[in-house]
């Protein structure tokens, strides 16, 4: 009864119930974003009763496999014409095949709105995204809507001004806690001006860069040659290992070529930088497969999940301490390496167990640690004095500042080189 009362008093439902059958008849796909699970159920029930329309759903309580199924059905020509989603559908899913986006609830966070629009506004899209939102007649919601309209959030992408959007979010929070029921948009004039000015500079810089050295087909090979051959493999290893450490739920598909990653109940973190809790992603670490099927994500640099995991690693001790096993033409053994960053330049210093500097080991690390493998746990368990060894070696680096990465090394001889039992060397 409460849902029906909410429903009957909501003009948004009335409008959706009238329009949705027309969109269905035109074979157009529509993504509807709501803020809460309860709202999702209310919208779906109302469309079923009033428009006799079946809809898909996407929310954080569905399993990863069920989410994939819902999106796959929605994509099909004869599948549901509407998918109603909570915020967890705002990350990691591509809905570029949709005609329109309906913002049933308008978040008081411009970055969230930009993220929702970005689910449809993908690279290669050949037509504009039709964005539908509901303008409140009064109250603080009317101020927020007017702000977004003035900013141009519904008309153009806001890429490059995330920091300014964060400032706007903070100001909105302050105003929401104030005494004025509907503060004027003019009270946000300073942050609006800064955001528009920055957006103009970003676009001018992008325009100049794009036209400074325009792309030509004959440049393709040289551009791709800049990408390290092992980059996709390394990215896959780092992302999956970090997901396992953080307790994120990972499922493999198609022989391991695709992965579904989500914040399940066993996750040890509530969120990641730039990625909210409850988010789920379906993608691949293969550039070739991502290009062939743009409905899935490409897990690479720039992807929100990858960037969020890397940011967490950058801040957490887990990402700054490691054990590495490799081969060397120099004398093998155990040791310690510290990596330092000066601007964009990386330097490294390595010492063996006796405290002697090993430049060859440091060079191996700076070269990307080729043929690097994890160190078996039993190797370190046999080093009874490992903790004191690390503290003693660490004194060798005390006058060099704070390293960005510290790693224990187990360097083994190259093939053909006389072998030394590195595992028992003190």
């Amino acid at each position: 009864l409460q849902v029906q009362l909410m429903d009957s008093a909501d003009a948004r439902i009335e409008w959706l119930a009238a329009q949705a059958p027309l969109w269905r008849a035109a074979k157009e796909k529509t993504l509807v974003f709501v803020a809460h699970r309860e709202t999702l159920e209310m919208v779906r029930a109302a469309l079923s009763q009033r428009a006799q329309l079946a809809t898909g759903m996407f929310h954080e309580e569905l399993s990863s496999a069920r989410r994939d199924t819902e999106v796959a059905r929605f994509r099909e020509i004869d599948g549901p014409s509407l998918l109603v989603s909570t915020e967890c559908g705002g990350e990691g899913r591509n809905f570029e095949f949709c005609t329109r986006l309906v913002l049933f609830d308008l978040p008081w966070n411009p970055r969230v709105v930009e993220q929702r629009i970005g689910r449809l506004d993908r690279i290669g899209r050949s037509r504009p995204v039709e964005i539908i939102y509901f303008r409140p007649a009064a109250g603080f919601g009317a101020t927020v809507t007017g702000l977004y309209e003035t900013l141009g959030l519904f008309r153009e992408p806001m890429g490059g001004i995330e920091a300014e959007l964060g400032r706007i979010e903070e100001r909105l929070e302050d105003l929401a806690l104030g005494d004025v029921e509907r503060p004027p948009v003019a009270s946000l004039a300073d942050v609006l001006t800064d955001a528009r000015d920055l957006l103009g500079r970003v676009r001018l810089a992008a325009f100049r860069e794009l036209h400074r050295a325009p792309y030509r087909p004959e440049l393709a090979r040289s551009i791709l040659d800049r990408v390290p051959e092992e980059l996709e493999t390394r990215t896959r290893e780092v992302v999956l290992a970090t997901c396992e450490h953080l307790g994120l739920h990972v499922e493999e598909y198609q022989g391991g070529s695709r992965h579904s990653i989500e914040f399940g109940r066993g996750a040890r973190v509530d969120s990641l930088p730039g990625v909210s809790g409850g988010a789920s992603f379906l993608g691949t670490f293969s550039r070739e497969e991502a290009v062939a099927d743009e409905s899935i994500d490409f897990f690479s640099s720039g992807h929100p999940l990858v960037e969020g995991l890397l940011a967490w690693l950058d801040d957490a001790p887990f990402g700054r301490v490691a054990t590495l096993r490799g081969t060397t033409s120099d004398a093998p053994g155990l040791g310690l390496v510290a990596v330092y960053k000066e601007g964009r330049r990386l330097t490294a210093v390595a010492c063996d167990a006796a405290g002697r500097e090993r430049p060859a080991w440091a060079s191996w690390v700076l070269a990307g640690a080729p043929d690097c493998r994890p160190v078996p746990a039993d190797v370190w368990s046999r080093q009874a004095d490992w903790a004191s060894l690390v503290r003693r070696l660490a004194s060798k680096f005390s006058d060099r500042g704070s390293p960005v990465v510290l790693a224990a090394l187990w360097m083994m001889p190259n093939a053909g080189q006389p072998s030394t039992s590195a595992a028992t060397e003190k």
Side-chain angles (χ1 to χ4, degrees):
L1 177 61
Q2 185 178 3
V3 169
Q4 291 176 349
L5 289 174
M6 290 173 58
D7 181 353
S8 62
D10 198 326
R12 297 171 297 177
I13 288 292
E14 298 288 347
W15 189 88
L16 274 180
Q19 297 297 318
L22 302 179
W23 299 336
R24 172 74 177 181
K27 299 186 182 303
E28 297 173 345
K29 300 290 185 177
T30 302
L31 177 62
V32 181
F33 265 117
V34 299
H36 306 291
R37 170 76 185 281
E38 294 78 8
T39 308
L40 178 147
E41 299 294 351
M42 182 264 290
V43 170
R44 296 188 69 228
L47 290 176
S48 176
Q49 295 169 6
R50 300 190 181 189
Q52 291 74 53
L53 198 68
T55 58
M57 62 178 173
F58 195 100
H59 56 77
E60 53 277 354
E61 295 184 26
L62 294 179
S63 67
S64 177
R66 178 65 185 279
R67 295 184 199 181
D68 295 340
T69 300
E70 290 287 333
V71 173
R73 289 183 58 248
F74 180 46
R75 179 181 288 274
E76 294 174 356
I77 295 177
D78 58 350
S81 60
L82 273 80
L83 179 74
V84 187
S85 174
T86 59
E87 201 57 60
C88 72
E91 297 174 349
R93 297 281 174 166
N94 294 339
F95 294 100
E96 76 286 342
F97 58 91
C98 291
T99 300
R100 69 184 54 80
L101 171 69
V102 176
L103 299 170
F104 190 86
D105 298 310
L106 194 60
W108 292 359
N109 181 341
R111 290 182 291 186
V112 173
V113 177
E114 173 76 0
Q115 188 177 70
R116 288 182 175 185
I117 297 172
R119 295 301 91 210
L120 279 69
D121 192 13
R122 316 293 292 184
I123 294 176
R125 186 181 176 92
S126 59
R127 58 181 177 179
V129 177
E130 181 182 340
I131 302 172
I132 296 171
Y133 60 96
F134 301 92
R135 184 186 297 111
F140 191 73
T143 297
V144 174
T145 306
L147 169 67
Y148 292 168
E149 291 173 339
T150 303
L151 184 61
L153 188 59
F154 304 121
R155 299 191 309 271
E156 51 191 340
M158 299 284 117
I161 65 167
E162 288 79 8
E164 292 300 320
L165 293 180
R167 285 186 60 206
I168 291 176
E169 176 189 356
E170 293 173 0
R171 289 291 296 277
L172 286 176
E173 290 178 355
D174 292 340
L175 290 175
L177 297 174
D179 298 330
V180 181
E181 180 180 354
R182 182 182 176 180
V185 175
S187 62
L188 295 160
D190 56 338
V191 289
L192 272 174
T193 300
D194 291 344
R196 297 298 299 175
D197 288 347
L198 179 58
L199 185 60
R201 294 196 299 272
V202 167
R203 288 179 178 164
L204 180 60
F207 179 83
R208 288 174 176 171
E209 185 64 22
L210 288 172
H211 289 81
R212 181 176 61 85
Y215 170 76
R216 301 188 303 277
E218 59 269 23
L219 296 175
R221 187 68 266 163
S222 63
I223 293 174
L224 290 176
D225 286 343
R226 301 176 190 174
V227 181
E229 292 183 3
E230 72 281 4
L231 180 60
E232 293 176 5
T233 301
R234 290 288 182 87
T235 301
R236 183 180 187 276
E237 292 174 351
V238 170
V239 168
L240 295 184
T242 309
C243 286
E244 180 180 2
H245 179 79
L246 294 178
L248 302 189
H249 182 69
V250 179
E251 290 188 21
E252 291 188 355
Y253 298 94
Q254 299 187 7
S257 64
R258 297 186 180 187
H259 290 79
S260 172
I261 303 174
E262 68 172 329
F263 284 77
R265 294 182 178 178
R268 299 187 182 94
V269 292
D270 295 328
S271 62
L272 291 169
V275 182
S276 61
S280 66
F281 304 86
L282 176 64
T284 177
F285 294 94
S286 167
R287 178 181 289 100
E288 183 177 352
E289 184 165 355
V291 170
D293 185 356
E294 294 187 359
S295 68
I296 61 175
D297 283 9
F298 179 34
F299 295 136
S300 65
S301 176
H303 185 277
L305 175 65
V306 177
E307 292 296 328
L309 291 171
L310 292 177
W312 182 85
L313 285 172
D314 195 40
D315 290 336
F318 177 77
R320 294 180 178 270
V321 180
T323 57
L324 306 177
R325 175 175 57 170
T327 59
T328 178
S329 56
D330 195 8
L334 293 175
L336 198 67
V337 63
V339 179
Y340 302 89
K341 187 175 182 181
E342 301 172 3
R344 301 184 64 179
R345 179 171 173 265
L346 293 176
T347 60
V349 178
C351 289
D352 61 18
R356 295 183 296 264
E357 287 201 19
R358 293 295 185 93
W361 295 5
S363 298
W364 175 79
V365 172
L366 290 178
D371 70 18
C372 173
R373 293 292 181 270
V375 178
D378 63 327
V379 170
W380 303 120
S381 66
R382 292 198 298 270
Q383 298 297 315
D385 62 343
W386 176 242
S388 61
L389 176 63
V390 170
R391 284 193 290 269
R392 178 165 53 82
L393 293 180
S395 65
K396 300 289 183 180
F397 310 100
S398 59
D399 60 343
R400 302 176 186 267
S402 299
V404 293
V405 174
L406 193 65
L409 296 180
W410 180 21
M411 302 304 293
M412 305 176 67
N414 286 330
Q417 183 179 349
S419 177
T420 301
S421 179
T424 58
E425 184 175 318
K426 300 291 183 181

